Amino acid sequence: MLGLSYDSWCITQERYEPEKTQFYETLFTLANGYIGVRGNLVWETRYGHPVTYFAGVFDRTLEVKTSLANAPDWTNLKLTADNETISFEKGKLLEYKRTLDMRQGILYERIRWKSPKRKITRVETVRLVHLEEKHEGLVYGRLMPENYSGNIIMEGGINGYVFSSTGFTNQLKNKHFELVKREEAGHSIYLEMKTHGSNIIVGEATNISLNTTYRQDVKYDRDYISNVLTFHAEMGKEYEFCKYATFYTSRDTKDVRKSALDKLEEIVVRGYREIESTHVLAWWKKWENVSIEIEGNELAQKSLRFNLFHLIQCANPEDEKVSIGAKGLHGEGYWGHAFWDTEIYMLPFFIYTDPTTAKALLMYRYNTLDGARKNAKLSGFGGAQFAWQSADEGTEVCPKELGSPFGETITIHIPEEEHHVVADVTYGVEYYYKATQDREFLLHYGLEILVETARFWASRAHFDKKIKRYVIERVIGPDEIHEHCNNEAYTNFMAKWNLKTAADYAKKFKASDVVKKLKVTSNEVERWHEIADKILILYDEKSGIYEQFEGYFNLKELQLEPSRKGFPKIPSEWRDWGKLQRTRVIKQPDVVLLHYLLGDRFSTDEKKRNFDFYEPYTAYRSSLGPSVSSIVASKIGYPDIAYQHFLKSARIDLDDSHGNTASGFHAASAGGTWQAVVNGFAGMRIQGGHLYFDPHLPKEWQKLKFGIRWQGKGIIVEITHKTLTAWTKDGEEVEIGVRGSMKKITGEKITTPLCQSQ
Ligand code: BGC
């Protein structure tokens, strides 16, 4: 068992608080992009909700069309001495500590439990899900009977009798798997189950061993199989055990059983220490590329690490058929579905730290293009319409009804109206290309997305003869409180960008196979240009404010109230969906987000005016909001506001500030937090094919250091309040802009003084 890392790398729970069990399960989730295992206690409790997910293993049920299926739990252990089984509901918990060590990717747990018959047992465990060897996991432990000798029974099982709740409501329970087989294989056991609706097989195998002599039996129960080890334990003596686990699905292998059992045999031979050390090494290597060091602010440093740790755990560079769900592989919120969250909030982190993973995420969109084409056809449009909520096929899986934040059941218009996701995906494609220059990706895959999404917008917009402008009607923007909006600022501007960008690339690569295959003609490209040029953008010349949609300025100017956690409160008499829609209150930044994403099209003054106008109406009911406001506030010279929003974003899960961390990790907010640091405080942006930095460090920080990958080269940047120092990892030459002037950097550190921002 390796020692734990410094405190700034660890999230620790010092006390057992049953009511917080599911909150900590999310915080302590271990995943590797292939499998996600919530941080349930090794010991069964009444409050826990053990969940194991496999990315891409969706089931179709009656209640919700498609949801990530809760698979068998291989982590559980049961310990019985003299007929007394460890249970937190009985006896006394003398010590309790759980630590997530983010540097090493392990979950440590220590308990000392006094049974009702006053027998004290100490157990320490370490759990891991191998970061690189995606099919391997284990629970290693040590136990000591402190004041007794006697027989101990240790049971380690694979439990397929597990349920999913359907997202937020927690009311309707679903069991997604049915038993296929369970068997003993030498000292190991194997459980195979199949999803009811989608027929995906999941097979898990475990082997448990002890460093003393023991008798081994196998126990069967409903959808359950376990190894039962009985041994004689001496008072004061420490015993070591290890439960090895392997897991495969029919998504990744033809013979699930063979793969799981062969792999298990291999890892048992390799042994606990080798598995732990290769896993820890993989994490160290990972952190070398993504770590951000903040000097002078421990709170910010630790919170940021927490977000990056979980974000890394969500992605799998080897699987181009999955995206990242809004709640990661960490919980049941949003049924495991992917949203625009991936491309707008998470993707930049991967683009700049791990382009292979970024590409895999975009390939998911390419691989689900047919689903998107189906969506467009169903709604009567051309091209491809990416789903608002997307699962395995790319068809729309957003439910039609949901509970509102105020408890009413409301009809969800989002799948028919929240169309900006189409441009958001395309934005991710172009962003990736600009930052990596991956021409192979662009020509084979990205270009097809650009073309098909332009076709969608060309059919979605229509010409209004009266005003001689193209208009887009009945949409929902990022704000989401207001529905059926006409000429929504974010949507129209992003559609304009999508059309224009697609036209430019299609023209540039007119000889490419994709352009030929899709039969893009010069007339079609001209039409995209024409629509883009003439799309209606509502802008009030007098005030210099972009109107969020037609009629927004006529809505009630409701004042939000301050609240304890720093998130504004909607006055109680307005907490009714219909009423709220008649006010200017918005759920999250909309125009302000646009001013970040297409930043070089708007002047600083313009950004400032619009931020000042919209910020008082922004309710931050979505975790996606604070990071965006932090970035824009950094750019317009509001450092304190930028810092406050950054902290809110970084601490959404750690403080459970939205009250729903139990249902999963806020992956978009985590990606946004990275952007708030790199694009906000360090002021990094791409312009005219170059990378620029215009830093504004928070006064609480002394130094910020991070690494990025830019067009195939590694760059390290170190920023203080007075200087920016940069160098390349491999000594190659790169040109970057620092506060507007270009600098050539190489393997040698080059320091540029930071004079006033321009
Ligand atoms: C937000 C959306 C987001 C979704 C998933 C909603 O509350 O308003 O913008 O895509 O959550 O994170």
Side-chain angles (χ1 to χ4, degrees):
M1 202 182 273
L2 293 171
L4 292 175
S5 305
Y6 294 123
D7 182 60
S8 69
W9 285 95
C10 292
I11 306 292
T12 297
Q13 182 192 15
E14 303 274 3
R15 247 177 345 119
Y16 175 57
E17 298 148 288
E19 70 290 355
K20 290 198 179 160
T21 301
Q22 295 194 19
F23 161 72
Y24 277 107
E25 282 177 357
T26 296
L27 296 198
F28 291 164
T29 294
L30 295 178
N32 59 19
Y34 170 77
I35 187 174
V37 180
R38 266 167 77 81
N40 56 289
L41 279 153
V42 170
W43 320 104
E44 205 178 281
T45 70
R46 210 154 17 112
Y47 307 92
H49 185 36
V51 172
T52 302
Y53 285 132
F54 290 91
V57 177
F58 287 95
D59 191 28
R60 292 169 228 299
T61 62
L62 286 176
E63 290 80 6
V64 178
K65 278 194 225 159
T66 305
S67 59
L68 214 50
N70 186 5
D73 166 36
W74 52 266
T75 61
N76 59 80
L77 282 177
K78 218 185 231 180
L79 209 77
T80 309
D82 195 12
N83 283 328
E84 294 182 301
T85 301
I86 294 189
S87 157
F88 294 180
E89 271 93 52
K90 287 183 287 182
K92 192 164 182 207
L93 205 48
L94 303 176
E95 270 179 44
Y96 174 92
K97 183 176 173 177
R98 298 181 90 202
T99 299
L100 173 72
D101 182 333
M102 301 182 285
R103 184 152 162 71
Q104 311 194 100
I106 57 176
L107 179 60
Y108 169 83
E109 188 175 314
R110 176 192 163 93
I111 58 157
R112 276 180 74 233
W113 182 73
K114 185 154 105 185
S115 73
K117 292 183 196 158
R118 297 170 184 276
K119 291 189 170 157
I120 300 175
T121 312
R122 170 162 67 70
V123 193
E124 278 178 292
T125 61
V126 157
R127 183 191 305 180
L128 67 85
V129 166
H130 205 292
L131 184 64
E132 274 174 356
E133 301 296 330
K134 308 260 182 227
H135 305 273
E136 302 174 5
L138 58 79
V139 183
Y140 165 84
R142 291 178 190 152
L143 73 94
M144 183 198 278
E146 289 192 3
N147 61 354
Y148 66 96
S149 297
N151 274 358
I152 293 188
I153 304 170
M154 176 182 283
E155 182 173 337
I158 315 173
N159 182 14
Y161 197 63
V162 286
F163 297 84
S164 303
S165 54
T166 51
F168 293 121
T169 61
N170 232 5
Q171 290 158 355
L172 295 163
K173 299 254 180 175
N174 279 309
K175 185 168 182 297
H176 288 290
F177 284 92
E178 64 196 31
L179 185 67
V180 179
K181 62 170 88 115
R182 49 190 181 171
E183 61 185 60
E184 299 164 43
H187 284 293
S188 307
I189 49 174
Y190 175 71
L191 181 80
E192 185 169 302
M193 299 191 80
K194 191 172 68 136
T195 53
H196 289 297
S198 54
N199 288 326
I200 303 176
I201 288 175
V202 165
E204 298 179 9
T206 60
N207 175 297
I208 183 162
S209 59
L210 256 172
N211 69 342
T212 185
T213 45
Y214 55 87
R215 195 186 81 218
Q216 177 164 324
D217 301 294
V218 174
K219 185 173 143 191
Y220 294 87
D221 205 334
R222 194 185 331 179
D223 296 347
Y224 176 84
I225 181 166
S226 64
N227 280 128
V228 183
L229 314 187
T230 310
F231 63 102
H232 181 77
E234 295 284 338
M235 181 166 89
K237 200 169 159 197
E238 194 171 69
Y239 297 88
E240 274 179 70
F241 59 90
C242 189
K243 183 178 183 185
Y244 297 91
T246 57
F247 18 78
Y248 283 84
T249 80
S250 53
R251 283 188 75 246
D252 35 84
T253 175
K254 277 210 176 83
D255 193 338
V256 175
R257 179 184 168 280
K258 185 170 175 348
S259 303
L261 287 171
D262 286 356
K263 186 76 176 168
L264 186 65
E265 207 179 303
E266 176 206 314
I267 70 169
V268 171
V269 171
R270 271 172 37 216
Y272 157 69
R273 277 182 184 78
E274 199 270 348
I275 296 168
E276 185 185 56
S277 58
T278 51
H279 166 73
V280 167
L281 197 67
W283 266 107
W284 286 5
K285 278 200 306 214
K286 191 61 144 183
W287 281 117
E288 241 177 60
N289 294 329
V290 305
S291 190
I292 297 188
E293 286 161 38
I294 299 169
E295 247 180 62
N297 193 328
E298 187 71 8
L299 181 75
Q301 174 74 79
K302 196 174 189 167
S303 313
L304 180 62
R305 271 183 189 145
F306 171 83
N307 285 285
L308 302 189
F309 173 78
H310 284 295
L311 205 49
I312 293 165
Q313 291 205 109
C314 292
N316 182 0
E318 290 153 32
D319 193 343
E320 298 187 338
K321 295 214 166 130
V322 295
S323 184
I324 300 176
K327 300 293 183 137
L329 285 167
H330 296 58
E332 308 197 335
Y334 289 123
W335 311 278
H337 300 166
F339 293 67
W340 67 314
D341 303 31
T342 307
E343 285 76 15
I344 296 299
Y345 291 84
M346 305 174 216
L347 191 68
F349 165 72
F350 293 108
I351 288 178
Y352 287 114
T353 61
D354 181 6
T356 316
T357 296
K359 180 180 168 200
L361 290 169
L362 292 170
M363 286 303 294
Y364 161 79
R365 294 298 190 175
Y366 177 79
N367 287 323
T368 51
L369 250 181
D370 277 345
R373 288 188 181 106
K374 267 190 211 155
N375 296 334
K377 210 164 172 193
L378 263 175
S379 4
F381 302 119
Q385 178 192 337
F386 287 106
W388 176 250
Q389 291 183 210
S390 190
D392 46 354
E393 293 173 346
T395 47
E396 186 56 74
V397 288
C398 180
K400 299 246 183 294
E401 272 187 348
L402 262 189
S404 87
F406 314 122
E408 326 122 79
T409 300
I410 47 173
T411 306
I412 305 294
H413 298 288
I414 283 174
E416 298 122 49
E417 297 192 1
E418 198 155 354
H419 288 161
H420 63 83
V421 57
V422 176
D424 302 329
V425 170
T426 319
Y427 183 88
V429 168
E430 211 239 347
Y431 198 156
Y432 170 79
Y433 177 65
K434 283 194 300 195
T436 59
Q437 293 295 300
D438 183 348
R439 223 177 134 91
E440 203 264 342
F441 168 79
L442 183 76
L443 289 181
H444 290 97
Y445 313 106
L447 199 51
E448 191 158 339
I449 295 181
L450 280 155
V451 167
E452 290 292 55
T453 50
R455 285 180 170 164
F456 169 79
W457 289 116
S459 67
R460 184 66 178 81
H462 72 90
F463 193 65
D464 184 327
K465 284 190 191 134
K466 258 205 251 141
I467 54 170
K468 296 196 175 47
R469 292 270 165 207
Y470 282 89
V471 294
I472 300 181
E473 288 166 343
R474 284 187 82 84
V475 298
I476 294 176
D479 152 29
E480 282 187 352
I481 287 179
H482 301 93
E483 298 162 329
H484 323 310
C485 304
N486 292 343
N487 297 308
E488 206 273 331
Y490 179 90
T491 310
N492 280 24
F493 228 112
M494 290 298 281
K496 179 184 169 87
W497 171 87
N498 194 155
L499 285 157
K500 198 150 176 23
T501 308
D504 291 346
Y505 280 93
K507 202 164 161 191
K508 188 164 170 197
F509 297 107
K510 62 172 184 275
S512 68
D513 291 347
V514 169
V515 170
K516 283 189 205 148
K517 178 181 96 177
L518 298 175
K519 299 192 174 64
V520 185
T521 62
S522 51
N523 278 351
E524 188 176 20
V525 172
E526 274 320 302
R527 197 172 123 69
W528 295 346
H529 269 303
E530 138 128 7
I531 303 173
D533 290 342
K534 292 195 184 149
I535 213 158
L536 182 63
I537 304 290
L538 299 171
Y539 179 71
D540 180 44
E541 296 284 348
K542 224 163 114 202
S543 59
I545 307 294
Y546 288 86
E547 187 175 21
Q548 197 181 289
F549 52 86
E550 266 171 34
Y552 178 86
F553 288 156
N554 303 331
L555 297 174
K556 182 173 171 55
E557 297 173 33
L558 186 68
Q559 296 273 317
L560 294 169
E561 294 164 356
S563 86
R564 244 180 341 115
K565 282 187 178 169
F567 286 90
K569 254 177 34 193
I570 296 165
S572 50
E573 64 275 26
W574 291 91
R575 287 188 208 149
D576 165 284
W577 201 244
K579 260 174 135 180
L580 200 61
Q581 289 178 324
R582 296 197 289 278
T583 73
R584 287 186 183 180
V585 171
I586 57 176
K587 183 174 173 188
Q588 64 203 65
D590 194 295
V591 170
V592 170
L593 172 60
L594 174 68
H595 285 180
Y596 164 46
L597 296 183
L598 300 181
D600 54 358
R601 286 159 182 77
F602 307 97
S603 70
T604 305
D605 273 355
E606 212 168 12
K607 287 178 190 155
K608 202 174 194 151
R609 274 197 304 271
N610 283 273
F611 186 92
D612 291 345
F613 179 82
Y614 284 108
E615 176 70 354
Y617 299 123
T618 311
Y620 294 101
R621 296 298 291 219
S622 159
S623 63
L624 277 58
S627 58
V628 172
S629 296
S630 170
I631 298 165
V632 176
S634 273
K635 290 189 191 299
I636 59 179
Y638 290 162
D640 291 341
I641 298 181
Y643 186 65
Q644 285 155 17
H645 278 308
F646 157 78
L647 265 193
K648 275 184 226 160
S649 185
R651 300 216 36 104
I652 275 185
D653 284 316
L654 286 166
D655 293 342
D656 198 9
S657 23
H658 275 245
N660 59 0
T661 292
S663 72
F665 158 64
H666 290 85
S669 165
T673 303
W674 183 89
Q675 295 183 60
V677 175
V678 174
N679 303 103
F681 300 136
M684 187 177 89
R685 68 180 201 283
I686 304 175
Q687 205 176 329
H690 287 287
L691 200 60
Y692 287 88
F693 293 87
D694 186 7
H696 297 279
L697 276 204
K699 60 177 183 306
E700 291 79 1
W701 301 3
Q702 276 135 33
K703 194 152 91 184
L704 168 67
K705 183 178 168 196
F706 58 90
I708 47 146
R709 296 210 62 80
W710 168 248
Q711 302 189 343
K713 295 164 189 145
I715 303 176
I716 299 179
V717 183
E718 218 175 70
I719 299 167
T720 66
H721 289 279
K722 297 202 170 121
T723 57
L724 182 146
T725 305
W727 65 99
T728 55
K729 259 186 160 173
D730 301 319
E732 295 148 302
E733 200 175 279
V734 183
E735 220 180 7
I736 59 166
V738 181
R739 289 265 162 96
S741 56
M742 299 312 292
K743 307 269 158 198
K744 271 206 172 63
I745 57 162
T746 59
E748 307 281 306
K749 291 186 177 180
I750 304 222
T751 299
T752 311
L754 296 173
C755 24
Q756 277 304 297
S757 177
Q758 296 150 12

